[in-house]
Amino acid sequence: MADDNQSFLGAVWETIKTIFWALVIAGIFRTLFFQPFWIPSSSMKDTLLVGDFLFVNKMAYGYSHASCPNIKLARFGVDIDAADICGFLDGDNTRVLGSEPERGDVVVFRHPVTHQDYIKRVVGLPGDTVQMKDGILHLNGEAVTVEDGGTFTEVKEPQGPEGRYPRCSNDPVGEGGSCAKQRQIETLPNGVQHSMLNIRDGLDLDDTKIFTVPEGEYFFVGDNRDNSTDSRVAQTSFGVGFVAYENLIGRADRIMFSSGGRSMLFFWTWRGDRYFKSID
């Protein structure tokens, strides 16, 4: 009987060690190489849709305190902020093995106030001036090139775990109806082209003051311009403002998987045309 107990305890201990080392390896992988990211909102449509799942390349810009992941397991009462782990690296706005993002990169960054992870497109580099005029992005006093990209349509229905309805240019639209938005193709000064959406003209963020991007910081906008909280809104617990170099987490390069339903387990809502899709 004693041998049986020892064998049982030995098996339990081996299982605990296996789980422990698996978690350590996963933590190292997520901290140093690739961090999974699930798109929860519509601010980057139609480049990224609610329910897209991607891995963020953390090697692209090097490492800082923001490279440590937040660990949130509400079911088990676990809420460990990255600052609790790597806060000692905060404050000098530098990175280890660092390189700078290029204009047009889609980047995940740590919000400096709420510490939540955001994903937006970098359009303003240090020293740039940025302004929106009549919904057109102006960089260093020059309007970027914008061409018609047709119409983006989707079903007017709750999207993602949060169950939010999309905003439509043709509202009011009943549930199940066709929700339309104008798609445009924007060309940045370095030649990067990407699509963006316009819900309607004349909204508050279609016209802004001139922003001058400080050294060591960046200006981000969402591709769904009329439905994005980004650097056009001053930095608060709500707004983003300028984003410091040290708050960058990594570059989003490719969508791995996409689900259009409330849960990734709803296989009938999987989007087969978005598997391994590159992010432009």
Side-chain angles (χ1 to χ4, degrees), residues 179-254:
C179 175
K181 286 179 270 287
Q182 179 188 12
R183 180 193 283 116
Q184 298 172 316
I185 306 300
E186 183 176 78
T187 303
L188 299 175
N190 59 346
V192 172
Q193 287 189 324
H194 65 94
S195 66
M196 62 178 186
L197 300 182
N198 179 47
I199 298 173
R200 62 178 178 270
D201 298 329
L203 297 180
D204 289 344
L205 294 181
D206 282 347
D207 292 278
T208 70
K209 67 177 185 178
I210 297 175
F211 300 92
T212 300
V213 185
E215 288 300 314
E217 302 192 29
Y218 298 88
F219 195 98
F220 287 87
V221 293
D223 289 348
N224 191 1
R225 293 286 164 83
D226 292 338
N227 196 30
S228 174
T229 300
D230 47 43
S231 294
R232 294 172 292 175
V233 181
Q235 188 179 102
T236 61
S237 58
F238 176 74
V240 173
F242 301 119
V243 177
Y245 182 46
E246 65 181 350
N247 282 346
L248 307 183
I249 295 174
R251 185 180 64 221
D253 293 327
R254 190 171 297 274

Side-chain angles (χ1 to χ4, degrees), residues 156-169:
K156 185 70 175 281
E157 62 183 1
Q159 297 181 345
E162 297 177 0
R164 296 182 183 178
Y165 285 88
R167 296 172 62 191
C168 316
S169 298

Side-chain angles (χ1 to χ4, degrees), residues 45-56:
K45 285 180 179 176
D46 66 333
T47 303
L48 298 172
L49 303 181
V50 177
D52 282 349
F53 179 80
L54 50 90
F55 282 102
V56 177

Side-chain angles (χ1 to χ4, degrees), residues 23 32 46 74 100 104 113 120 127 129 156 159 169 171 194 213-215 225 257 261 271:
L23 291 174
L32 296 181
D46 66 333
E100 298 184 7
V113 178
K120 308 287 181 183
T129 62
K156 185 70 175 281
Q159 297 181 345
S169 298
D171 271 330
H194 65 94
V213 185
E215 288 300 314
R225 293 286 164 83
F257 171 82
R271 304 180 180 113

Side-chain angles (χ1 to χ4, degrees), residues 69-128:
N70 293 319
I71 303 174
K72 297 182 183 294
L73 299 171
R75 181 177 299 179
F76 302 101
V78 177
D79 187 359
I80 302 175
D81 193 280
D84 298 331
I85 305 172
C86 297
F88 66 94
L89 296 173
D90 192 5
D92 57 4
N93 203 25
T94 60
R95 306 181 71 86
V96 177
L97 302 176
S99 61
E100 298 184 7
E102 297 182 5
R103 197 189 312 275
D105 283 359
V106 176
V107 178
V108 174
F109 58 88
R110 185 71 39 81
H111 192 288
V113 178
T114 67
H115 298 170
Q116 291 181 310
D117 294 347
Y118 277 53
I119 185 166
K120 308 287 181 183
R121 188 180 300 274
V122 59
V123 296
L125 304 178
D128 283 345

